[in-house]
Short mmCIF file of all heavy atoms in Angstrom, two decimals:
data_model
loop_
_atom_site.label_atom_id
_atom_site.label_comp_id
_atom_site.label_asym_id
_atom_site.label_seq_id
_atom_site.Cartn_x
_atom_site.Cartn_y
_atom_site.Cartn_z
N GLY A 63 -2.60 -11.63 -1.34
CA GLY A 63 -2.19 -10.84 -2.49
C GLY A 63 -1.03 -11.46 -3.24
O GLY A 63 -0.62 -12.60 -2.97
N ILE A 97 11.22 -3.04 -22.39
CA ILE A 97 9.89 -2.64 -22.82
C ILE A 97 9.67 -3.12 -24.25
O ILE A 97 10.50 -2.84 -25.14
CB ILE A 97 9.70 -1.11 -22.75
CG1 ILE A 97 10.01 -0.60 -21.34
CG2 ILE A 97 8.28 -0.71 -23.16
CD1 ILE A 97 10.06 0.91 -21.22
N ILE A 173 -4.23 5.27 14.72
CA ILE A 173 -3.54 5.40 13.43
C ILE A 173 -4.30 4.57 12.40
O ILE A 173 -4.32 3.34 12.48
CB ILE A 173 -2.07 4.96 13.54
CG1 ILE A 173 -1.36 5.72 14.66
CG2 ILE A 173 -1.35 5.18 12.21
CD1 ILE A 173 0.07 5.26 14.92
N ALA A 183 -10.43 7.09 7.66
CA ALA A 183 -10.39 8.24 6.75
C ALA A 183 -11.79 8.77 6.47
O ALA A 183 -12.00 9.99 6.40
CB ALA A 183 -9.70 7.83 5.44
N PRO A 206 7.95 -24.65 -9.14
CA PRO A 206 8.62 -25.39 -8.06
C PRO A 206 10.03 -25.85 -8.41
O PRO A 206 10.89 -25.95 -7.52
CB PRO A 206 7.69 -26.58 -7.82
CG PRO A 206 6.36 -26.15 -8.36
CD PRO A 206 6.65 -25.24 -9.50
N ILE A 284 -6.12 -12.39 -8.92
CA ILE A 284 -7.06 -11.40 -8.42
C ILE A 284 -7.35 -10.36 -9.50
O ILE A 284 -6.52 -10.12 -10.39
CB ILE A 284 -6.54 -10.70 -7.14
CG1 ILE A 284 -5.20 -10.00 -7.41
CG2 ILE A 284 -6.43 -11.70 -6.00
CD1 ILE A 284 -4.69 -9.19 -6.22
N THR A 368 1.14 11.37 -6.43
CA THR A 368 -0.17 10.79 -6.76
C THR A 368 -0.62 11.24 -8.14
O THR A 368 -1.10 10.44 -8.95
CB THR A 368 -1.20 11.20 -5.70
OG1 THR A 368 -0.76 10.79 -4.41
CG2 THR A 368 -2.55 10.55 -5.99
N MET A 403 12.95 9.52 -14.39
CA MET A 403 11.73 8.78 -14.07
C MET A 403 11.76 8.19 -12.66
O MET A 403 10.72 7.91 -12.08
CB MET A 403 11.53 7.65 -15.09
CG MET A 403 11.07 8.11 -16.47
SD MET A 403 9.43 8.84 -16.45
CE MET A 403 8.42 7.40 -16.05
#
Side-chain angles (χ1 to χ4, degrees):
I97 305 171
I173 305 175
I284 59 175
T368 303
M403 287 294 293

